[in-house]
Amino acid sequence: MENNLPRRREAAGLSQSELAEAVGVTRQTINAIERERYDPSLELAFKLAAHFECHIEDIFQPEDGGSA
């Protein structure tokens, strides 16, 4: 799953550690999501969207070439 989490986090002036603490996960989890090596749970995706006051789809997009 593609995402723009790094851009949103940096625009908010947050480190990976600060974002991780705000949503209740480790810095390593945020790093893995940002590097697109880990897809967050639905619960975590909702927490991230709530933190940035946006929709989940504003952060995460399915990879091109496939349908749901």
Side-chain angles (χ1 to χ4, degrees):
M1 179 176 339
E2 297 175 356
N3 71 77
N4 63 21
L5 188 58
R7 288 184 295 278
R8 285 187 176 271
R9 178 182 56 74
E10 291 167 4
L14 296 171
S15 68
Q16 288 182 342
S17 295
E18 290 168 329
L19 179 56
E21 185 175 334
V23 296
V25 297
T26 65
R27 182 201 59 79
Q28 290 85 352
T29 298
I30 297 299
N31 181 270
I33 293 168
E34 288 187 356
R35 296 181 71 191
E36 298 179 2
R37 294 178 181 245
Y38 172 74
D39 291 337
S41 66
L42 188 56
E43 179 182 7
L44 179 52
F46 271 108
K47 286 181 180 181
L48 289 164
H51 181 80
F52 290 110
E53 298 179 347
C54 66
H55 297 282
I56 292 173
E57 297 89 346
D58 295 334
I59 301 173
F60 299 100
Q61 303 83 34
E63 292 183 32
D64 291 336
S67 59

